[in-house]
């Protein structure tokens, strides 16, 4: 049900006063929130399919389950779906592309031969909307990654193929950054690992260092492209050993001063990335977050408003790390409407940031420094029921995006008018 605008204004005034009494300026929080972009991952829109033809198995130990109708099968469809999604999000956000989402004109160039020309359609689209782009080489869904090894492969020829793919992608990243006047973060994630216990853990890791160094050898203008590296604990088919583990990439990023990517679903189940941010930020220049949600074996469920999501946002705000952090999403769910999946995940990340920005941090820190841990806990718990939801609604209203669950009506209309009439779907002819 639509919320009455005047009622919301009145509720907001009360909420503003309630926060002001705690020394929190809701207007300042909203203004700040509007400057924080979330990089939407293109791959939620088509189940990590991409536009190489013929599209093969996703591979890399990644799995997308579900067959909800209406997925995007062309770049124009995906862009249209993204436009619909951005219209439901307050603030200005970014798009994170994978290399397999180029427009290859019906051909499938080798991955080491792709260039900025294959992304012109995306650049034009992004420029028109003033959306910044991020990028990822695709080290999976390819015969040369068929045995689950890429940059750490024992075969020097295969390693070189993937090094060259990474180099091509860094240049694409720089071209995207230059064209849009906004730094592109190019993130390297590789699937490399073993299903069963390896005889040598050492050799693949040494090879990976060598490959990464070769890939990153040419310095690029950091205002155009920044390199990031992403670790993982395990994947399907790499249960016993992952070459690019957390320790591996933390050391790599620290010694090479690369951006470290922490994916919320890539650690042991009781390990949380909110706990790691203030540790790694002492050693790496910047952070990329893949905000995700692990559920048992899956690291990629749609992001919900969990304690951990709020804790991540709180750590970024409390530690004043936002200026050094790039926030991206990473999940893929094909069992629900894909635009709704993006919208739910992204709105939750923005909501979590708002909760963090509305925290009376100074008072908590003062209680802590005074040794009054009773007050610290009492305040933290009371804080949970402060009327941040009203401030969120007001922010949506101000940003001219749907307030509350009416965004779903828009998605349903789009589903009927557009998604379900795509070829091969229920109501299409
Ligand atoms: C895989 C990594 C990686 C991918 C994307 C598609 O476990 O999280 O970020 O999800 O590159
Ligand atoms: Zn990830």
């Amino acid at each position: 049900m639509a919320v009455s605008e005047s009622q919301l204004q009145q509720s907001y005034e009360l909420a503003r006063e309630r926060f002001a009494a705690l020394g929190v300026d809701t207007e300042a929080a909203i203004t700040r929130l509007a400057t924080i972009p979330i990089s939407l991952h293109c791959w939620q829109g088509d189940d990590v399919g991409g536009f190489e033809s013929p599209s093969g198995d996703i591979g890399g130990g990644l799995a997308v389950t579900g067959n909800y109708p209406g997925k995007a099968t062309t770049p124009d469809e995906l862009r249209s779906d993204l436009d619909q999604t951005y219209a439901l999000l307050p603030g200005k956000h970014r798009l994170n592309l994978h290399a397999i989402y180029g427009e290859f004109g019906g051909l499938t160039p080798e991955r080491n031969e792709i260039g900025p020309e294959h992304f012109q359609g995306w650049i034009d689209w992004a420029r028109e909307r003033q959306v910044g782009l991020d990028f990822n080489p695709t080290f999976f869904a390819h015969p040369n990654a068929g045995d689950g090894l890429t940059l750490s492969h024992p075969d020097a020829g295969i390693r070189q193929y993937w090094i060259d793919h990474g180099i091509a992608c860094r240049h694409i990243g720089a071209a995207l950054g230059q064209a849009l006047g906004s730094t592109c973060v190019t993130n390297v994630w590789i699937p490399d690992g073993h299903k069963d216990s390896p005889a040598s853990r050492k050799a693949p890791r040494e090879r990976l260092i060598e490959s990464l160094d070769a890939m990153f050898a040419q310095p690029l203008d950091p205002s155009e492209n920044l390199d990031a590296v992403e670790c993982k604990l395990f994947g399907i088919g790499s249960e016993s050993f992952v070459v690019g583990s957390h320790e591996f990439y933390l050391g790599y990023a620290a010694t090479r001063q690369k951006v470290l990517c922490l994916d919320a679903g890539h650690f042991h189940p009781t390990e949380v990335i909110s706990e790691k941010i203030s540790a790694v930020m002492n050693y790496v220049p910047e952070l990329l977050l893949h905000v995700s949600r692990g559920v048992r074996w899956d690291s990629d469920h749609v992001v919900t408003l969990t304690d951990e999501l709020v804790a991540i946002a709180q750590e970024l705000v409390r530690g004043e790390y936002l200026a050094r952090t790039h926030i991206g999403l990473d999940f893929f769910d094909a069992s629900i409407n894909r635009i709704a999946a993006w919208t739910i995940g992204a709105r939750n990340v923005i909501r979590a940031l708002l909760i963090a920005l509305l925290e009376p941090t100074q008072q908590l820190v003062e209680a802590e420094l005074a040794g009054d841990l009773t007050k610290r806990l009492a305040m933290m718990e009371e804080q949970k029921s402060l009327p941040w939801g009203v401030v969120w609604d007001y922010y949506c209203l101000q940003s001219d995006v749907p307030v509350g669950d009416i965004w779903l009506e828009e998605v349903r209309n789009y589903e009927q008018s557009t998604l379900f009439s795509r070829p091969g779907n229920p109501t299409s002819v």
Side-chain angles (χ1 to χ4, degrees):
M1 219 189 72
V3 182
S4 130
E5 214 175 302
S6 66
Q7 273 179 353
L8 178 48
Q9 290 281 0
Q10 282 173 18
S11 317
Y12 174 68
E13 281 313 311
L14 295 174
R16 193 173 62 79
E17 283 168 26
R18 181 83 193 275
F19 279 104
L22 291 167
V24 174
D25 181 345
T26 53
E27 295 294 322
I30 288 175
T31 308
R32 180 89 195 277
L33 185 58
T35 66
I36 309 172
I38 310 297
S39 197
L40 261 65
H41 54 317
C42 72
W43 53 93
Q44 165 61 60
D46 74 335
D47 316 338
V48 208
F51 305 120
E52 283 183 338
S53 56
S55 63
D57 247 8
I58 173 172
L62 306 176
V64 187
T65 48
N67 57 359
Y68 198 87
K71 83 167 173 192
T73 58
T74 67
D76 283 337
E77 287 178 356
L78 189 56
R79 284 190 278 261
S80 158
D81 294 358
L82 283 159
D83 283 337
Q84 176 59 71
T85 307
Y86 289 121
L88 305 174
L89 308 178
K92 193 99 207 87
H93 302 289
R94 301 174 63 85
L95 176 68
N96 192 8
L97 283 171
H98 239 283
I100 49 173
Y101 287 76
E103 291 171 79
F104 306 114
L107 306 167
T108 304
E110 276 300 333
R111 297 248 177 112
N112 52 9
E113 284 169 358
I114 58 171
E117 65 276 16
H118 299 120
F119 294 86
Q120 195 55 50
W122 287 108
I123 292 173
D124 295 342
W125 173 86
R127 191 183 277 130
E128 213 171 280
R129 287 154 184 78
Q130 294 184 300
V131 162
L133 294 176
D134 296 303
F135 203 63
N136 304 258
T138 311
F139 292 98
F140 52 84
H142 191 277
N144 281 356
D147 57 4
L149 298 171
T150 62
L151 291 176
S152 76
H153 205 287
D155 182 300
I158 293 185
R159 285 204 303 281
Q160 192 59 47
Y161 178 86
W162 290 113
I163 290 169
D164 290 340
H165 174 58
I167 292 172
C169 288
R170 294 182 74 224
H171 288 298
I172 295 169
L176 301 180
Q178 194 191 42
L180 301 167
S182 173
T183 313
C184 171
V185 180
T186 299
N187 178 52
V188 171
W189 174 75
I190 61 166
D192 299 35
H194 285 287
K195 182 182 179 71
D196 230 321
S197 305
S200 172
R201 292 182 146 83
K202 182 181 176 207
R205 288 190 166 134
E206 288 174 349
R207 289 193 291 264
L208 179 53
I209 291 176
E210 224 176 82
S211 295
L212 291 169
D213 284 347
M215 216 168 80
F216 295 137
Q218 184 184 345
L220 296 177
D221 182 342
S223 72
E224 294 176 354
N225 182 76
L226 285 174
D227 306 304
V229 288
E230 179 181 5
C231 72
K232 193 167 180 175
L233 175 67
F234 82 95
I236 299 168
S238 62
E239 291 86 356
S240 301
F241 173 60
V242 167
V243 185
S245 62
H246 180 46
E247 291 76 4
F248 178 92
Y249 277 127
L250 178 58
Y252 191 84
T255 51
R256 273 69 172 176
Q257 289 298 286
K258 295 292 178 193
V259 178
L260 182 71
C261 173
L262 295 178
D263 183 311
H266 284 194
F267 296 89
H268 285 276
T270 60
E271 237 182 316
V272 283
I273 66 167
S274 57
E275 212 291 308
K276 299 179 188 298
I277 294 169
S278 60
V280 301
M281 277 302 212
N282 292 298
Y283 307 108
V284 298
E286 294 187 23
L287 202 59
L288 167 64
L289 296 184
H290 271 190
V291 185
S292 191
R293 179 167 56 104
V295 176
R296 302 193 188 279
W297 62 266
D298 180 53
S299 58
D300 297 294
H301 271 57
V302 177
V303 168
T304 54
L305 190 59
T306 58
D307 284 353
E308 169 58 3
L309 182 64
V310 174
I312 291 169
Q314 283 168 334
E315 282 301 306
L316 296 179
V317 172
R318 290 176 184 169
E320 293 176 5
Y321 295 128
L322 280 166
R324 289 166 61 200
T325 305
H326 309 266
I327 305 176
L329 303 177
D330 187 9
F331 49 78
F332 17 98
D333 189 339
S335 71
I336 61 173
N337 180 298
R338 295 169 184 80
I339 293 160
W342 265 324
T343 307
I344 292 165
R347 282 175 70 109
N348 277 330
V349 175
I350 304 168
R351 248 196 287 256
L353 286 164
L354 177 63
I355 294 172
L357 289 165
L358 291 172
E359 179 185 85
T361 310
Q362 196 48 38
Q363 294 188 37
L364 296 177
V365 171
E366 276 164 20
E368 183 166 280
L369 288 176
D372 192 350
L373 306 188
T374 309
K375 182 174 179 189
R376 182 183 66 184
L377 183 60
M379 282 192 69
M380 280 181 175
E381 290 308 296
E382 285 303 319
Q383 210 175 283
K384 290 179 179 170
S385 58
L386 286 176
W388 61 264
V390 177
V391 183
W392 162 250
D393 285 347
Y394 177 76
Y395 178 51
C396 289
L397 181 74
Q398 257 202 340
S399 314
D400 221 9
V401 304
V403 175
D405 62 9
I406 52 160
W407 64 261
L408 186 57
E409 279 175 37
E410 266 193 50
V411 174
R412 292 283 185 227
N413 291 338
Y414 182 78
E415 187 168 79
Q416 290 303 327
S417 69
T418 309
L419 298 183
F420 288 174
S421 50
R422 288 177 179 164
N425 286 289
T427 56
S428 68
V429 276

